[in-house]
Amino acid sequence: MAEIQPTRDEMEIRRLGKPIHPSPLDLPPAVPGASGSFMPEGIRVRYRVDLAPGGGEHAEDAVSFEKAGPRERIFFDPPATRAALVTCGGLCPGVNNVIRSAYYQLYHRYGVRDVLGIRYGFLGLTPDGPEPIPLTPRFVAGIHNLGGTALGSSRGPQPIGRMVDFLEQRGIDILLCVGGDGTQRGAHAIAEEARARGLALSVVGVPKTIDNDIPFVWRSFGFFTALEKAREVIQGAHVEACGTPYGVGLVKLMGRYAGFIAAGATLASQEVNFCLIPEVPFALEGEGGFLDLLERRLRERGHAVVVVAEGAGQDLLGGVRGTDASGNLKLADIGVHLKERIGAFCRERGIPASIKYFDPSYLIRSVPANTADSLLCDSMARHAVHAAMAGHTDVLVGYWHNAYVHVPIPAVTRRTKRLESDGGVWTAVLEATGQPRQMGQAVERPGHPAVVPSRR
């Protein structure tokens, strides 16, 4: 499913007021098209860069994003500003990098000396939560080498009024919210309540999701680290599968609603024979179903590697099991179910299969960020600080066409980002695995057999 294209009105950025203070950053004057200088006002990044033959949108009519970057004049007076950072939701490689880079940008570059670390997510913005940590250069010095979050995290909303009371009482001017869609919904609610009270509070989101499923963010931090670690697990599953007659290496990866990790790791590995994701339904039983295709693969090649996203095949398991504290659906365990069904099916068919099951979910999300994600974290954190100091609010740092942009948080939270089943990534997965586009209908077409023999 593709993102719903935004409208021009949705891309309007909220500002707290006129920026009257000169920026303390030592940068060249704003020049359109230049890099390494202040960002001129009015620079935009188009939503679409491809144009249909013989026509297209006029530049002034096209939907576009405001380009992120440091401004020559800022809203907040740095010595009089108090900022805070909060990290929410599940763990993700790179959160500590964001904390460290955002703090250094505030402290060293802008001269904001008062920066608080909110502990354990939105819980720390209430009187019931633990006391915030005053961030210092010593505190953040080595945290980028660690997984997790040095501030702690939690799931679930807190009363908006109580959180804004806390921010007002503590004199916090800037709140950087590091988290996924639930966190950003909370950030939007905080910004709305602050606006209703007439508070000059800048709320800026830094998109965090290992699943890479936040709209208007081509790649979220932690995703490449997840692919790297998932590839290592898949390689182990492949070795195990090849090491015994009729070996099956079954790997369950994160991906509650979107199959980006499963698909990306499949392409990175090039050893996967079946990739199952939430966006593409599949039949388990019957001719042309997954088990039927797996049997053909085992009898032909003697081994198989299967990757499944955690949200795949939920329709086969009787639906969801309620919601967690963040409102996320509690999913049935497709990995364990597949392991049991593969084992029972192979016994019924007289195949002495040896199934090795891997579930590295928490291992993958708890490791430090790799090089690619470390670079992305640093840039996103610094652009979030630039947006906040300029007085932007209710805004998220997006990443679009290799550029950092400002996206209004409401435009993000009313959409979903999913892997397109007719897009280039999924087509590449089908080419790499040899699996059919549809499992369960076994449609035979000239030149498109229901099962393409694997190259491996």
Side-chain angles (χ1 to χ4, degrees):
M1 181 191 307
E3 292 172 356
I4 302 172
Q5 179 167 325
T7 64
R8 292 181 64 193
D9 290 343
E10 283 186 292
M11 291 298 106
E12 290 297 320
I13 302 298
R14 277 184 52 197
R15 292 168 169 80
L16 296 175
K18 185 177 180 179
I20 61 174
H21 301 284
S23 173
L25 302 184
D26 182 18
L27 295 174
V31 177
S35 60
S37 66
F38 285 110
M39 181 60 60
E41 294 293 343
I43 300 298
R44 311 286 295 185
V45 175
R46 288 183 59 143
Y47 176 76
R48 292 187 63 89
V49 295
D50 53 331
L51 299 177
E57 300 169 297
H58 295 292
E60 63 272 17
D61 297 327
V63 176
S64 62
F65 305 99
E66 178 181 86
K67 194 168 186 178
R71 266 52 178 179
E72 286 187 279
R73 302 194 72 80
I74 57 179
F75 180 80
F76 292 104
D77 180 22
T81 299
R82 169 175 276 189
L85 293 93
V86 62
T87 59
C88 306
L91 299 183
C92 176
V95 177
N96 282 332
N97 302 63
V98 172
I99 296 170
R100 184 177 187 268
S101 291
Y103 172 75
Y104 278 157
Q105 187 69 30
L106 285 163
Y107 184 85
H108 287 302
R109 302 292 290 134
Y110 278 100
V112 176
R113 291 293 183 259
D114 197 354
V115 184
L116 298 178
I118 305 300
R119 302 184 64 196
Y120 298 109
F122 285 147
L123 176 64
L125 290 176
T126 69
D128 300 330
E131 188 68 14
I133 299 172
L135 297 185
T136 64
R138 179 184 293 273
F139 179 87
V140 305
I143 62 174
H144 60 302
N145 296 315
L146 306 174
T149 164
L151 300 178
S153 186
S154 67
R155 291 190 181 276
Q158 299 293 332
I160 300 302
R162 297 182 75 197
M163 290 195 290
V164 178
D165 287 344
F166 180 94
L167 293 165
E168 186 174 9
Q169 291 163 7
R170 295 302 181 101
I172 293 171
D173 305 294
I174 290 172
L175 179 65
L176 303 183
C177 298
V178 185
D181 54 356
T183 302
Q184 303 312 325
R185 284 193 292 270
H188 169 63
I190 290 172
E192 286 286 280
E193 177 65 17
R195 182 185 186 184
R197 297 187 187 190
L199 299 178
L201 173 67
S202 172
V203 181
V204 178
V206 182
K208 179 222 65 157
T209 167
I210 199 171
D211 291 347
N212 198 38
D213 60 355
I214 294 183
F216 310 124
V217 181
W218 273 5
R219 176 167 65 86
S220 55
F221 70 82
F223 178 60
F224 270 21
T225 305
L227 296 189
E228 182 178 294
K229 294 301 177 183
R231 179 183 180 179
E232 294 174 5
V233 175
I234 292 171
Q235 180 60 31
H238 181 246
V239 170
E240 289 285 351
C242 292
T244 183
Y246 301 109
V248 178
L250 174 61
V251 180
K252 185 180 81 170
L253 297 174
M254 283 189 166
R256 181 179 294 272
Y257 307 116
F260 292 105
I261 293 180
T266 292
L267 293 174
S269 165
Q270 294 290 310
E271 300 290 3
V272 178
N273 308 112
F274 298 95
C275 178
L276 309 174
I277 62 173
E279 296 89 337
V280 181
F282 63 95
L284 196 59
E285 315 283 350
E287 183 179 359
F290 167 72
L291 293 174
D292 178 47
L293 301 180
L294 178 62
E295 178 184 10
R296 301 190 206 183
R297 164 73 194 186
L298 290 175
R299 294 194 184 281
E300 179 183 339
R301 301 287 300 193
H303 70 276
V305 176
V306 182
V307 168
V308 59
E310 62 180 320
Q314 291 299 305
D315 58 306
L316 306 174
L317 304 175
V320 297
R321 315 293 171 87
T323 59
D324 63 16
S326 296
N328 297 314
L329 300 178
K330 290 183 179 179
L331 304 178
D333 196 327
I334 185 63
V336 171
H337 181 75
L338 280 183
K339 179 179 181 294
E340 294 173 350
R341 285 298 300 123
I342 291 170
F345 178 82
C346 287
R347 288 191 294 272
E348 293 169 4
R349 298 304 178 98
I351 302 173
S354 175
I355 305 168
K356 301 298 190 298
Y357 178 53
F358 299 76
D359 182 356
S361 300
Y362 294 107
L363 169 66
I364 287 175
R365 78 176 197 174
S366 62
V367 300
N370 66 7
T371 300
D373 280 330
S374 295
L375 293 170
L376 185 61
C377 289
D378 182 67
S379 292
M380 283 191 163
R382 294 182 188 279
H383 281 94
V385 171
H386 294 322
M389 291 301 297
H392 292 32
T393 190
D394 204 9
V395 67
L396 176 134
V397 176
Y399 186 53
W400 201 249
H401 300 310
N402 204 36
Y404 295 95
V405 298
H406 296 149
V407 186
I409 293 178
V412 173
T413 57
R414 66 172 61 108
R415 287 168 171 78
T416 58
K417 176 184 173 185
R418 300 291 181 262
L419 194 151
E420 297 179 33
S421 59
D422 57 352
V425 172
W426 187 242
T427 297
V429 168
L430 300 181
E431 295 288 341
T433 61
Q435 70 189 66
R437 187 170 292 274
Q438 295 175 310
M439 290 189 194
Q441 298 186 19
V443 177
E444 296 280 356
R445 291 175 292 166
H448 293 78
V451 178
V452 179
S454 171
R455 300 185 300 274
R456 297 170 296 281

